[in-house]
Structure formats: C-alpha cells, structure tokens
Amino acid sequence: MDEKSYEKPSRRVSVPWVMNAPARNERLVMMTAYDFSQARLVEQAGADIVLVGDSLAMVVLGHTDTLSVTVDEMLHHVKAVKRGVENSLLVADMPYGSFHLGRRQTVAEAMRFIKEAGAQAVKIEGRRPETVAALVDVEIPVMAHLGLTPQSIHKLGGFRVQGRGDGPRTELLEAAREIEAAGAFSLVLECVPADLAREVTAVLEIPTIGIGAGPNCDGQVLVFHDLLGLEDRLSPRFVRRYAELGSDARRALSAFAEDVRHGRFPSPAESYDDPEHLRAEPIRKIYG
Ligand code: KIV
C-alpha cells in the first residue's frame, strides 16, 4: 500500500459502532499491538479495534504460552498503546488469573485497565456469562472469546481446533448465545471450523471476530508479529504473513554490525565536526 493512502479511522470508534457493524454490513478489522509505535502503525493502517492481547506473553515477553503474564505487565503495555491510539477502540485482554477468583477480583482488575490505562473495553476468554454480566453491570464493555482459548491450554491439551463434532459444536453455540445474553458486545472465535463460525455469526446479533475461523465472521483479527512475519516459532495455517519483517530486520541489523566491524559506520556525514583526518590514524590512537 502506498504510504499516503493509509486510512486511520476518521471517527472515534465506539462500542455501539462496533456492535452495529453487522447491521451496516461492514467487516471489522482488529489487530493486536503491544507498544506505542505498533499502536500508531495499526491505527494508521485502519484498524477499527486495537487489542492488547495476552499474546504479549509469547510474542513480546518470550514465554511459550500466555499463562504467566500478569495484570501489571499487561497494564504497562496497554498504557503505551493508549498513547499511540487516537480513534480506534482500545481493548485490553484480561490475563489468566485476573478474573477467576470471583466477582470482586474481576471487577477490580478490569477497572484498572479502564481507569489506569485508558482501555475502553476488556476481553475475557471462556464460557463465563456471570463474569461478562458482572463487568457489564459496572459499565465495562466486554469482548468475549470462545473456541481455542489459549488460557485453557492445559485443559485443552494443546493449541488445536475446537468445536469439531456434534457435542462440542452444540456446546460452543450454546456458549455463544449465553455470552451474548449476558451482555458481551462482540465475540472472538478462535480456531473453529469455518461452518461453525458461520452458524454462530448467523445466530448472534453481536459481531463475531475470527482468527482461524474462516471467512464468514463479521471481522478478522491477527497478531501483529504474525502478520508482519516477526514470529517464526509457531506458524498456524490461519496466519497470512503480509510481510517478512523478521528477515528484513535481521538483514538490517547484520548490515549495521558489518559496517561497524569494517569501519564503514559512521561516515563523516554522520559525525560532528568532520573527523575525516582521524580516519588515517590507528584506531587505538583515537581512543587512546
Ligand atoms: O491474545 C491475543 O492476541 C488474542 C487474539 C489472538 C484474539 O486473544
């Protein structure tokens, strides 16, 4: 895309605007971001929703799953992302352990994302209609997340497709209905068969946002590092890499290292008070 043609949302995206997207027949674009410059990039690229996902644990902090990231670590990054977002809706993912110990804990932790970090909504994983209702009751909009919920990795036995077979399919449909009835404003569907995602999308009024859930959701989300080719440890089939920034970055960083080793960086033009005459001197004389 040409640099000038980027389309950051020209209006401030709100929760009602997201909820009405299916009625407007408009597809939602969500991308993750974890810091200020990533937030600016995804907003400038036209993201309606910027999600600070707990995928932070894996793609930024280097863990092998999402379980260990804490509320404080998430808050640190949500605050940075907030500084880079003007018009997109900012959603903070509630990490594992922050909404599992009852209503009081859930509300208190979720409020930190709103009050301290400036998020406009939170996302929670799993079939938890009471939790959704408790948050909506204190004015916190909730994006729900069903299907492959990485916080349940031990229970699920790994990162694998969910909702296959009659029982799991019916269970997921029921969970989606319950969550909508509890007041969620949108639903992420991760790694489920495309026809199940289509059915969920058809029966719900709130928008579905798919990741590995086929083309018939109301919107799509990808993780920043996956779509830019910065993450190479896992490559699920649902990821489309729109760039290979990992290899570009390695090339650039090696070129810098080579230039330094061979005395090609910095050049006189990149130095103050032209030190060209010093270049003929042995290096130890310059430093010594
Ligand atoms: O943590 C995350 O990035 C997510 C998205 C993949 C939906 O939950």
Side-chain angles (χ1 to χ4, degrees):
M1 189 196 277
D2 156 5
E3 276 276 34
K4 290 195 196 92
S5 67
Y6 63 67
E7 290 173 28
K8 88 177 187 191
S10 52
R11 31 72 200 121
R12 223 176 143 72
V13 176
S14 66
V15 165
W17 186 91
V18 169
M19 285 180 87
N20 290 330
R24 295 193 307 272
N25 209 13
E26 210 170 322
R27 287 221 167 90
L28 291 165
V29 177
M30 181 159 92
M31 302 184 214
T32 69
Y34 312 93
D35 67 24
F36 172 73
S37 57
Q38 292 171 1
R40 294 191 69 212
L41 287 171
V42 300
E43 178 169 270
Q44 287 168 357
D48 301 307
I49 307 171
V50 178
L51 170 70
V52 185
D54 66 350
S55 48
L56 167 79
M58 298 173 74
V59 298
V60 176
L61 303 180
H63 297 293
T64 48
D65 57 46
T66 59
L67 298 178
S68 55
V69 71
T70 64
V71 170
D72 285 337
E73 286 170 331
M74 290 294 298
L75 277 169
H76 181 70
H77 288 268
V78 178
K79 286 176 190 172
V81 167
K82 174 70 180 174
R83 291 178 208 118
V85 164
E86 275 177 52
N87 290 336
S88 311
L89 188 80
L90 175 57
V91 180
D93 216 357
M94 291 194 63
Y96 177 65
S98 67
F99 55 97
H100 301 75
L101 302 177
R103 182 189 175 104
R104 213 180 158 75
Q105 181 220 19
T106 302
V107 168
E109 300 290 34
M111 276 184 177
R112 295 188 68 196
F113 285 106
I114 309 293
K115 288 170 77 100
E116 293 177 36
Q120 289 149 286
V122 297
K123 177 167 85 57
I124 61 167
E125 290 188 11
R127 184 176 187 171
R128 296 174 183 277
E130 296 84 11
T131 312
V132 173
L135 291 170
V136 172
D137 190 44
V138 296
E139 330 304 338
I140 300 180
V142 179
M143 174 179 281
H145 183 162
L146 293 174
L148 171 55
T149 47
Q151 292 176 11
S152 322
I153 183 169
H154 295 316
K155 189 164 131 193
L156 301 176
F159 295 111
R160 39 179 80 105
V161 180
Q162 301 297 308
R164 279 193 173 137
D166 291 347
R169 187 183 175 100
T170 308
E171 203 181 310
L172 196 135
L173 273 160
E174 280 172 9
R177 283 203 181 91
E178 263 179 27
I179 269 161
E180 176 173 72
F185 75 93
S186 58
L187 170 64
V188 170
L189 286 173
E190 178 163 354
C191 237
V192 297
D195 67 319
L196 173 56
R198 188 180 48 196
E199 191 174 347
V200 174
T201 303
V203 300
L204 296 190
E205 282 183 23
I206 58 172
T208 58
I209 301 176
I211 173 160
N216 291 307
C217 296
D218 297 301
Q220 297 289 331
V221 54
L222 279 179
V223 164
F224 184 90
H225 292 63
D226 288 339
L227 80 86
L228 292 180
L230 287 163
E231 170 61 58
D232 52 15
R233 290 170 301 172
L234 290 175
S235 62
R237 68 187 278 173
F238 59 76
V239 167
R240 186 181 294 176
R241 289 161 78 125
Y242 286 85
E244 292 298 340
L245 295 196
S247 8
D248 280 357
R250 267 188 298 277
R251 242 192 316 278
L253 298 169
S254 315
F256 169 68
E258 282 299 289
D259 282 353
V260 170
R261 290 201 176 97
H262 292 93
R264 294 191 294 257
F265 179 85
S267 68
E270 288 156 333
S271 308
Y272 296 102
D273 301 335
D274 190 358
E276 200 156 22
H277 66 285
L278 297 177
R279 296 210 163 244
E281 307 280 327
I283 199 160
R284 66 178 173 283
K285 275 204 141 173
I286 301 173
Y287 290 131

